[in-house]
Amino acid sequence: KNEVEQSPQNLTAQEGEFITINCSYSVGISALHWLQQHPGGGIVSLFMLSSGKKKHGRLIATINIQEKHSSLHITASHPRDSAVYICAPEGTDKLIFGTGTRLQVFP
Amino acid sequence: DTGVSQDPRHKITKRGQNVTFRCDPISEHNRLYWYRQTLGQGPEFLTYFQNEAQLEKSRLLSDRFSAERPKGSFSTLEIQRTEQGDSAMYLCASSLRASWEGSSYNEQFFGPGTRLTVL
């Protein structure tokens, strides 16, 4: 069993839809990171959280440490949100990456 | 641009050749990480440095791989006797590892990556 499981693996949406990506992990962590990777490889850090909820613009990330689960939500999705979203729990000073969720938002 | 930079961005080499990649982190960052990513997969941890000290190496890092961060600034990753299975994107990230009121902060900033193709 993988240490990090993301669902769904692929997601398509119409512009304006509310998006949820889920992440479950089995390791003990100090924090959990959500990353965005665009075609061509560039990775951008979206959130780093260790409890509760964080919000940046249309993006919201939540984490439940007891249940070892985190979610990333995108409100009012837009075609420019199309990317791979990667959940990465932080173990002992290093990140353990999920395989990512490929999101495509159509106009 | 004061972000993380990597050089070269692309490298094509023949099997058996040696290659070296360079990463320049954000200047005040004390941590530097190397990751490898193959097509359709998430990145995998290779190794990381705190200043000039290499603190951990993954089991993925065979003895053909070596990494250095000689002055605690830029880092190099060398692959000797490359194999076709080494073909991947090699990503570098840096962070300013800090602790505050019992919590740790380690937000990582990624470079654009070096794409290696071994023929």
Side-chain angles (χ1 to χ4, degrees), chain A:
Chain A
K1 188 179 188 303
N2 292 334
E3 292 176 303
V4 185
E5 299 274 356
Q6 282 188 239
S7 63
Q9 290 187 317
N10 294 283
L11 185 55
T12 58
Q14 288 294 125
E15 184 172 356
E17 284 186 11
F18 181 83
I19 303 292
T20 295
I21 300 170
N22 294 301
C23 174
S24 296
Y25 54 92
S26 56
V27 296
I29 66 168
S30 55
L32 184 139
H33 301 243
W34 280 100
L35 310 168
Q36 180 192 57
Q37 186 169 31
H38 279 285
I43 293 179
V44 174
S45 175
L46 298 175
F47 292 103
M48 184 181 68
L49 67 167
S50 54
S51 65
K53 176 178 170 178
K54 284 191 175 180
K55 184 175 188 291
H56 290 157
R58 295 180 296 106
L59 302 179
I60 303 166
T62 63
I63 188 167
N64 184 317
I65 295 290
Q66 287 74 27
E67 294 187 4
K68 296 190 173 181
H69 182 269
S70 177
S71 294
L72 176 69
H73 306 283
I74 305 175
T75 61
S77 59
H78 189 276
R80 66 174 173 265
D81 297 327
S82 298
V84 176
Y85 291 84
I86 302 172
C87 168
E90 182 178 348
T92 311
D93 289 333
K94 63 181 185 285
L95 302 185
I96 306 163
F97 296 85
T99 54
T101 295
R102 183 174 300 278
L103 171 65
Q104 288 185 293
V105 182
F106 295 99

Side-chain angles (χ1 to χ4, degrees), chain B residues 9 13 24 31 40 43-44 75 98 101:
Chain B
R9 296 289 303 277
T13 192
D24 285 89
R31 288 276 176 97
E44 297 171 298
S75 175
E101 292 189 351

